[in-house]
């Protein structure tokens, strides 16, 4: 089944069940300045989930264009994309769990009208309950009836899970609620049912993947806390088209599906260097660039325009890496326009402008890319803030690109130093717009500093929970979040995650001052609790301590007192490589 047919079947299935089809809203939210892009199908519907009447009625269905950039540095692997389409059906105060769950199951398994998936490969989760909302027995009973009817043991198919996975909200404010998630066994070998432990392990090993989420949105969140019920009970469902397509076409990853196949083949044909990851980055980024421009974004140094600039320039660098002939980018852009022009009319209507903007941006960057790369080669050792600033201001390298190249060369980039340079430049230039570089930079150094201190606290907390053999395996900080890799052989349980979060928050609340001492490396290694590669430090080192909770060798900078950090929250825990786990966390 090709992707077009999946889209069509989904819309038709719900249209037949009295839903009105609505077109995708723009990728750029019209009335919500708090987010740069729509990241889920429900986002443009927030006013209607809160009670306003939708002009198309109470039952609607659609395919929403989404852009998510939080995992942009992971693009190139099997699963992450910056642009994707989300299929969704919504009840705005109309039907609730019974219909939503039954329709989800029917669409997934029905051969004539739906996807015709084998029900023995399906598993589901439901919400286990907490102080905000009761255990979702109702959804459990609905699923139980479905599985029993299909001849399966419900106990081995339906699992109660905590709010960490089964409570969905678009952010800290707005409509939210418990959800029921559907999973598909991609191996085809897990058809006999599982225990909850086996299910969690299969999920961690990506033997099963989440394919659809039914959110029962009857609650409201304010500043991160559930404050009560909404005026109406809603259903918000979401299924990623790309993931469904991978599954329906029995592929290993999205780049092998009809959504990317010809684009990937073309990039390969044009390249004289074989690098799959670069081909994937180029394909993903071109697609996002086309869609963003079709929704009115133009490359710039701020906000959405900056994201667009970043992805076009990153695509250009990877084309350069693959030794693709000059001027080829536009052929690739044409292919994307061709592929989506009939599905999203504004792509066709704006095709000339899309080509023009991408061409202009690529040409501008190409003038300095080669020299910038040479400049990069001249730098010996880690990249200082000044180096990164020169690459940015003279050669047009977005800081994220400098970080990416540095990472390839196993060098570090002094981000805080870079931000200081940006600030200096901003003060010097004294123009209102210069240096305003949101979406990653400028004015955000304070957040990075806080997250840096939080990273030390996270490691200390992990060592309290798992013992002193846990070490840092990698760390990456943006102003929005920290990412931390450490050695541990298995997936952390929700209880362990909570324990780690609680320890960090407890230490934040204790208002401990963060002290820095310079000492000889020998001496420092004796007091430091973390033996993180000392060879990269000079003879005299800085040691940062947070009471006796955390003592680490580090270049800094850090906050003065833990009380400055706010609330520490783990957003994700996943495998990074064999024996290494990755945590993403934020400060709220
Ligand atoms: N909003 C929910 C999600 O993004 C369901 O669509 O998962």
């Amino acid at each position: 089944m090709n992707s077009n047919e999946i889209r069509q079947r989904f819309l038709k299935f719900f249209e037949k069940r009295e839903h009105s089809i609505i077109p995708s809203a723009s990728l750029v939210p019209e009335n919500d300045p708090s987010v740069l892009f729509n990241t889920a199908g429900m986002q443009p519907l927030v006013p209607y989930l809160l009670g306003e009447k939708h002009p198309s009625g109470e039952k609607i269905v659609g395919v929403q264009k989404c852009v998510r950039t939080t995992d942009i540095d992971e693009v190139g692997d099997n699963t992450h994309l910056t642009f994707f389409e989300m299929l969704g059906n919504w009840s705005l105060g109309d039907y609730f769990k019974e219909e939503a769950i039954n329709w989800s199951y029917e669409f997934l398994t029905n051969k004539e009208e739906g996807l015709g998936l084998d029900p023995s490969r399906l598993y589901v989760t439901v919400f286990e309950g907490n102080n905000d909302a009761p255990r979702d027995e109702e959804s459990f009973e609905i699923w139980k009836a479905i599985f029993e009817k299909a001849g399966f043991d419900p106990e081995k198919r339906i699992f109660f899970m905590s709010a960490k996975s089964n409570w969905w909200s678009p952010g800290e404010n707005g409509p939210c609620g418990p959800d029921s998630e559907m999973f598909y066994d991609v191996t085809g070998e897990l058809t006999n049912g599982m225990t909850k432990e086996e299910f969690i392990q299969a999920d961690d090993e990506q033997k099963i993947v989440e394919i659809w989420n039914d959110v029962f949105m009857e609650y409201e969140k304010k500043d991160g806390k559930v404050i009560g019920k909404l005026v109406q009970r809603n259903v918000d469902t979401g299924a990623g088209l790309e993931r469904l397509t991978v599954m329906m076409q029995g592929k290993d990853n999205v780049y092998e599906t009809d959504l990317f196949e010809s684009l990937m083949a073309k990039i390969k044909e044009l390249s004289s260097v074989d690098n799959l990851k670069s081909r994937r980055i180029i394909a993903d980024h071109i697609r996002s660039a086309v869609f963003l421009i079709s929704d009115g974004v133009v490359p710039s140094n701020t906000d959405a325009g900056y994201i667009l600039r970043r992805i076009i320039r990153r695509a250009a660098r990877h084309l350069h890496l693959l030794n693709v002939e000059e001027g080829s980018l536009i052929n690739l852009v044409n292919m994307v326009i061709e592929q989506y022009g009939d599905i999203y009319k504004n792509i066709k209507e704006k095709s000339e402008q899309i080509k023009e903007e991408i061409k202009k941006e690529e040409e501008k960057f190409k003038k300095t890319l080669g020299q910038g790369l040479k400049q990069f080669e001249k730098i010996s050792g880690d990249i200082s803030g000044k180096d990164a600033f020169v690459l940015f201001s003279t050669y047009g390298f977005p800081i994220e690109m400098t970080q990416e190249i540095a990472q390839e060369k196993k060098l570090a980039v002094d981000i805080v130093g870079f931000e200081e340079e940006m600030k200096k430049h901003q003060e010097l230039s004294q123009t209102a717009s210069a240096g305003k570089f949101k979406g990653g930079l400028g004015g955000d150094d304070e957040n990075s500093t806080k997250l840096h201190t939080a990273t030390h606290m996270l490691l200390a907390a992990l060592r309290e929970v798992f013992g002193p053999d846990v070490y840092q395996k990698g760390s990456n900080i943006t102003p929005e979040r920290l990412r931390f890799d450490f050695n541990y052989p298995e997936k952390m349980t929700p209880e362990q995650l909570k324990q780690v979060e609680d320890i960090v928050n407890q230490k934040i609340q204790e208002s401990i001052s963060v002290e820095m001492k310079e000492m000889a490396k020998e001496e420092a290694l004796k007091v430091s609790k973390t033996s993180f590669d000392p060879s990269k430090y000079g003879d005299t080192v800085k040691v940062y301590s947070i009471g006796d909770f955390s003592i680490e060798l580090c270049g800094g900078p850090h906050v003065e007192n833990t009380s400055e950090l706010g609330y520490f929250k783990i957003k994700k825990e996943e495998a990074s490589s064999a024996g290494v786990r990755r945590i993403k966390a934020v400060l709220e």
Side-chain angles (χ1 to χ4, degrees):
M1 198 180 288
N2 68 33
S3 50
N4 233 337
E5 187 163 354
I6 300 175
R7 262 193 223 97
Q8 287 315 320
R9 281 190 175 223
F10 187 78
L11 295 173
K12 268 208 198 111
F13 181 92
F14 285 98
E15 192 181 32
K16 207 174 140 192
R17 286 154 186 83
E18 294 165 354
H19 287 63
S20 311
I21 299 179
I22 56 161
S24 172
S26 165
L27 274 171
V28 185
E30 273 143 30
N31 301 311
D32 185 357
S34 70
V35 283
L36 287 183
F37 306 114
N38 279 317
T39 58
M42 54 71 71
Q43 235 144 15
L45 298 173
V46 169
Y48 312 105
L49 293 161
L50 296 175
E52 205 177 294
K53 290 276 163 255
H54 193 286
S56 300
E58 282 92 49
K59 288 190 267 198
I60 53 183
V61 61
V63 182
Q64 174 63 42
K65 300 176 274 188
C66 300
V67 162
R68 286 187 190 172
T69 52
T70 35
D71 293 323
I72 187 167
D73 35 347
E74 252 102 358
V75 171
D77 67 7
N78 275 353
T79 52
H80 293 91
L81 293 171
T82 52
F83 171 84
F84 61 96
E85 293 169 83
M86 203 184 253
L87 312 176
N89 58 288
W90 292 277
S91 159
L92 304 169
D94 192 272
Y95 61 86
F96 207 44
K97 298 179 182 174
E98 182 76 35
E99 293 88 334
I101 291 177
N102 274 291
W103 283 334
S104 292
Y105 179 76
E106 202 182 334
F107 181 73
L108 290 176
T109 55
N110 186 310
K111 283 201 178 61
E112 281 73 47
E113 288 183 77
L115 303 181
L117 296 177
D118 174 358
S120 72
R121 292 168 75 168
L122 289 180
Y123 291 87
V124 301
T125 59
V126 293
F127 179 55
E128 71 178 15
N130 63 9
N131 290 338
D132 295 325
R135 189 173 171 88
D136 193 357
E137 297 291 354
E138 193 183 342
S139 295
F140 178 81
E141 289 301 325
I142 300 166
W143 279 117
K144 183 167 173 248
I146 291 174
F147 280 118
E148 275 173 352
K149 197 167 160 208
F152 303 116
D153 179 358
E155 298 294 330
K156 293 181 138 189
R157 296 279 161 180
I158 316 165
F159 307 107
F160 278 100
M161 306 289 266
S162 73
K164 204 144 218 147
S165 57
N166 284 54
W167 187 279
W168 201 90
S169 62
E172 297 312 302
N173 294 292
C176 59
D179 64 39
S180 177
E181 301 185 349
M182 287 147 264
F183 292 77
Y184 183 70
D185 155 29
V186 285
T187 67
E189 290 162 5
L190 304 167
T191 54
N192 294 329
M194 302 183 223
T195 62
K196 183 170 170 181
E197 286 65 40
E198 286 164 346
F199 170 82
I200 291 171
Q201 193 178 347
D203 180 27
D204 193 36
E205 290 168 358
Q206 295 179 3
K207 291 185 175 163
I208 52 166
V209 294
E210 185 200 331
I211 49 172
W212 202 348
N213 186 9
D214 287 0
V215 187
F216 306 113
M217 274 185 175
E218 56 172 334
Y219 294 91
E220 185 172 12
K221 238 185 188 182
K222 205 159 184 233
D223 299 329
K225 290 205 167 56
V226 177
I227 53 164
K229 287 203 172 181
L230 296 169
V231 293
Q232 65 191 33
R233 299 193 308 179
N234 307 291
V235 172
D236 157 43
T237 88
L241 173 72
E242 285 73 9
R243 194 173 279 183
L244 285 183
T245 308
V246 170
M247 214 177 59
M248 291 304 292
Q249 297 176 4
K251 303 288 187 188
D252 198 40
N253 63 77
V254 70
Y255 300 98
E256 290 170 11
T257 67
D258 72 321
L259 288 163
F260 278 97
E261 217 177 0
S262 8
L263 190 59
M264 289 294 285
K266 189 75 188 171
I267 300 170
K268 191 166 189 181
E269 183 194 312
L270 294 169
S271 323
S272 52
V273 173
D274 183 17
N275 183 328
L276 180 62
K277 186 168 177 195
S278 289
R279 287 201 292 279
R280 289 177 171 184
I281 291 173
I282 295 164
D284 169 83
H285 285 18
I286 292 178
R287 211 166 74 121
S288 294
V290 167
F291 274 95
L292 285 170
I293 300 170
S294 78
D295 278 337
V297 183
V298 288
S300 75
N301 273 354
T302 56
D303 304 329
Y306 173 65
I307 303 280
L308 176 61
R309 163 156 291 165
R310 220 174 113 186
I311 63 176
I312 298 176
R313 292 187 178 201
R314 191 170 183 218
R317 178 174 91 88
H318 283 275
L319 285 166
H320 181 85
L321 276 179
L322 296 184
N323 224 346
V324 168
E325 208 180 299
E326 297 252 326
S328 302
L329 178 58
I330 221 62
N331 298 334
L332 303 171
V333 170
N334 268 327
M335 287 178 77
V336 177
I337 292 176
E338 205 45 41
Q339 184 182 352
Y340 287 99
D342 288 330
I343 307 167
Y344 295 98
K345 294 281 176 265
N346 58 349
I347 289 201
K348 199 176 250 169
E349 281 157 24
K350 293 205 183 160
S351 62
E352 286 315 309
Q353 193 197 337
I354 294 170
K355 285 189 260 185
E356 197 45 44
E357 289 293 352
I358 294 182
K359 202 164 136 208
K360 241 175 28 198
E361 184 64 18
E362 192 208 10
E363 274 167 7
K364 199 190 280 178
F365 184 50
K366 252 188 353 220
K367 286 198 189 116
T368 55
L369 172 64
Q371 285 163 302
L373 291 170
K374 275 196 201 120
Q375 177 69 20
F376 214 113
E377 292 303 323
K378 284 191 207 144
I379 302 170
S380 62
D382 289 346
I383 315 297
S384 69
K386 259 210 171 83
D387 294 331
F389 183 72
V390 169
L391 285 166
F392 164 73
S393 55
T394 312
Y395 301 100
F397 280 31
I399 183 65
E400 294 82 359
M401 180 180 294
T402 297
Q403 283 179 296
E404 183 178 335
I405 304 173
Q407 204 172 12
E408 287 162 12
K409 297 177 184 294
K410 302 210 177 343
L411 298 173
V413 181
D414 177 5
I415 289 293
V416 177
F418 169 75
E419 281 160 358
E420 272 161 16
E421 291 293 325
M422 286 291 283
K423 227 184 204 161
K424 260 192 245 162
H425 169 78
Q426 197 174 351
E427 280 156 15
L428 283 176
S429 72
Q430 285 185 343
T431 60
S433 63
K436 187 179 171 238
F437 213 54
K438 233 175 114 186
L441 304 165
D444 287 330
D445 52 337
E446 214 180 294
N447 279 342
S448 301
T449 304
K450 286 182 186 167
L451 285 162
H452 196 171
T453 305
T455 302
H456 282 214
M457 297 176 75
L458 170 60
L459 174 58
L462 287 165
R463 292 164 70 93
E464 279 197 6
V465 176
F466 295 129
D469 293 334
V470 169
Y471 297 110
Q472 167 166 336
K473 289 282 178 188
S475 163
N476 171 291
I477 294 173
T478 72
E480 288 84 29
R481 57 115 183 96
L482 65 85
R483 193 181 81 195
F484 186 75
D485 294 350
F486 61 100
N487 55 312
Y488 189 63
E490 58 205 50
K491 188 168 181 62
M492 288 175 68
T493 63
E495 292 72 32
Q496 288 167 335
L497 287 169
K498 174 142 195 328
Q499 214 182 335
V500 168
E501 251 177 26
D502 287 350
I503 295 174
V504 175
N505 284 317
Q506 172 63 32
K507 296 290 174 187
I508 291 176
Q509 272 177 13
E510 285 173 18
S511 301
I512 307 172
S513 70
V514 181
E515 313 275 349
M516 190 273 283
K517 263 198 206 141
E518 292 206 21
M519 48 177 103
K521 188 158 77 180
E522 303 293 289
E523 195 193 336
L525 287 174
K526 276 184 223 149
V527 296
S528 163
K529 292 194 171 180
T530 55
S531 71
F532 154 43
D533 182 13
S535 63
K536 63 182 240 191
Y537 296 101
D539 289 339
T540 311
V541 294
K542 288 182 184 170
V543 173
Y544 277 87
S545 32
I546 305 171
D548 60 5
F549 174 53
S550 155
I551 306 173
E552 270 193 57
L553 268 73
C554 175
H558 286 274
V559 300
E560 284 179 9
N561 190 291
T562 60
S563 61
E564 293 165 48
L565 300 188
Y567 185 76
F568 175 78
K569 190 151 186 206
I570 296 179
K571 288 284 191 190
K572 207 172 190 181
E573 190 272 350
E574 61 191 347
S576 161
S577 59
V580 179
R581 307 298 307 176
R582 169 167 288 182
I583 283 181
K584 285 186 186 159
V586 295
L587 289 169
E588 290 175 344

